[in-house]
Amino acid sequence: KMVELGKGHVVNIASLLGKMPTMDATDYCCAKAGSIHMMTQLRMQYVKTDLKFTAVCPFFVKTRMIEGVEDIVEYMLPKDLVAAAITGVREDKDVVAVPCKYNLMQFVISILPAPLLQAFYRYAYDEHLKTFRRKYIGQKMSEKVA
């Protein structure tokens, strides 16, 4: 219907993990990257119309997906995600990263040479992910057994 009308705004909730690599989440990161790229591509395809497209890329949102690990990850509330999406629409942004501080992190990661990026993940990021995986996967496995 929006194409027929030639106006509207599509908002897609993706993830920051679609903009930066992480360990042991290749399928998730690739799916989210594809989602972000699709919105960017649609924005280009309909540039001569009043159709707009925005990808909102949160880090962690307090949903059932992070139940049990809220104490080891920084998360945002769903209402904050909605507010970011509304801001993205009002400002006609193609991609909105939330919380905003991750825009800087994403930029730094994008310009780091591969050896430095690998070192960053190997030493700094990996310990946090191990803790997250241990607690999150352990919780999910105990739910399946119960």
Side-chain angles (χ1 to χ4, degrees), residues 8-50:
H9 202 120
V10 177
V11 176
N12 181 25
I13 306 300
S15 172
L16 274 173
L17 295 181
K19 303 279 292 168
M20 62 178 114
T22 190
M23 295 177 191
D24 296 335
T26 301
D27 51 352
Y28 183 83
C29 293
C30 288
K32 295 304 181 175
S35 173
I36 295 164
H37 187 72
M38 178 184 70
M39 298 303 279
T40 304
Q41 184 62 38
L42 287 169
R43 182 176 273 264
M44 295 300 292
Q45 182 174 333
Y46 292 100
V47 73
K48 294 181 180 181
T49 71
D50 283 329

Side-chain angles (χ1 to χ4, degrees), residues 19 21 103-117:
K19 303 279 292 168
N103 283 311
L104 177 62
M105 184 172 152
Q106 173 194 328
F107 172 73
V108 170
I109 286 172
S110 73
I111 64 170
L112 282 178
L116 286 177
L117 183 61

Side-chain angles (χ1 to χ4, degrees), residues 25-134:
T26 301
D27 51 352
Y28 183 83
C29 293
C30 288
K32 295 304 181 175
S35 173
I36 295 164
H37 187 72
M38 178 184 70
M39 298 303 279
T40 304
Q41 184 62 38
L42 287 169
R43 182 176 273 264
M44 295 300 292
Q45 182 174 333
Y46 292 100
V47 73
K48 294 181 180 181
T49 71
D50 283 329
L51 286 169
K52 307 294 181 192
F53 301 87
T54 299
V56 180
C57 302
F59 201 47
F60 287 101
V61 179
K62 187 170 171 111
T63 62
R64 290 189 321 179
M65 185 175 171
I66 66 163
E67 281 179 0
V69 295
E70 298 98 328
D71 58 328
I72 61 169
V73 298
E74 180 183 349
Y75 62 86
M76 62 190 306
L77 298 174
K79 68 181 179 104
D80 298 323
L81 178 61
V82 171
I86 291 170
T87 299
V89 169
R90 284 188 182 140
E91 297 176 4
D92 191 24
K93 293 189 172 191
D94 58 341
V95 178
V96 177
V98 286
C100 292
K101 68 182 180 181
Y102 290 104
N103 283 311
L104 177 62
M105 184 172 152
Q106 173 194 328
F107 172 73
V108 170
I109 286 172
S110 73
I111 64 170
L112 282 178
L116 286 177
L117 183 61
Q118 290 168 355
F120 169 74
Y121 282 115
R122 193 172 297 122
Y123 299 108
Y125 199 53
D126 191 41
E127 287 306 311
H128 179 72
L129 279 176
K130 283 180 187 173
T131 304
F132 176 77
R133 274 190 238 115
R134 198 174 312 118

